[in-house]
Amino acid sequence: MNPFVTFLTRRGLSVWGSRELAVRGRRSGEWRRTPVNVLTVDGQRYLVAPRGHVQWTHNMRAAGGGELRLGRRREVFTAVELADDDKPEVLRAYLKRWKAEVGAFFDGVGPDSPREELRRVAPRYPVFRITAG
């Protein structure tokens, strides 16, 4: 599915809030790109890594931000990683919105799971609050 979403996003068509994340590689300095879903909760925007600690999350920690791209539009942003105790409600909102797409990566934890379950799995899933900048 990622190649299709990437194809559409690069042409300016968002699929359920999809964007192409561009972040500088922590070693190479080259732009690295991957499709992401931008989540808005209470006026704040977040990037959630449903597959866990992957390359873009390591690069994001090192770079402290990047670009969200949709077609030719580019939005520069800064990113701050959330502490595990701050993730449960963001993870809940993410699963409510995209459970069909990413639910398999959450080992049976879903949007209706108790807060304690979401907190238990929180260390596995990086979450970044993003701010235009």
Side-chain angles (χ1 to χ4, degrees), residues 1-11 13 15 18 35:
M1 190 66 151
N2 274 355
F4 182 66
V5 171
T6 299
F7 174 83
L8 292 175
T9 303
R10 285 184 179 168
R11 280 148 188 82
L13 299 172
V15 179
S18 66

Side-chain angles (χ1 to χ4, degrees), residues 3 14 17 20 40 53 61 68 73 87-88 92 126 128 130 133:
S14 178
E20 182 180 52
T40 302
H53 298 272
R61 286 183 191 110
L68 291 173
R73 287 177 276 166
K87 293 178 187 177
R92 182 183 312 285
F128 296 88
I130 60 172

Side-chain angles (χ1 to χ4, degrees), residues 82-99:
L82 296 188
D84 293 338
D85 286 338
D86 298 330
K87 293 178 187 177
E89 294 313 312
V90 175
L91 292 175
R92 182 183 312 285
Y94 190 82
L95 287 165
K96 275 185 183 174
R97 176 98 190 235
W98 289 291
K99 184 179 181 191

Side-chain angles (χ1 to χ4, degrees), residues 98-117:
W98 289 291
K99 184 179 181 191
E101 183 179 330
V102 300
F105 304 122
F106 282 82
D107 298 323
V109 174
D112 298 323
S113 295
R115 187 182 201 306
E116 296 76 30
E117 276 298 297

Side-chain angles (χ1 to χ4, degrees), residues 32-117:
R32 304 296 182 198
R33 303 179 313 184
T34 191
V36 294
N37 293 319
V38 178
L39 175 69
T40 302
V41 177
D42 297 330
Q44 297 287 320
R45 295 187 314 152
Y46 300 92
L47 294 177
V48 176
R51 294 184 180 178
H53 298 272
V54 293
Q55 292 301 317
W56 75 260
T57 63
H58 299 297
N59 292 335
M60 184 71 70
R61 286 183 191 110
E67 292 180 355
L68 291 173
R69 300 175 178 180
L70 181 61
R72 294 182 183 179
R73 287 177 276 166
R74 308 252 187 289
E75 178 190 353
V76 176
F77 68 89
T78 58
V80 175
E81 189 166 7
L82 296 188
D84 293 338
D85 286 338
D86 298 330
K87 293 178 187 177
E89 294 313 312
V90 175
L91 292 175
R92 182 183 312 285
Y94 190 82
L95 287 165
K96 275 185 183 174
R97 176 98 190 235
W98 289 291
K99 184 179 181 191
E101 183 179 330
V102 300
F105 304 122
F106 282 82
D107 298 323
V109 174
D112 298 323
S113 295
R115 187 182 201 306
E116 296 76 30
E117 276 298 297

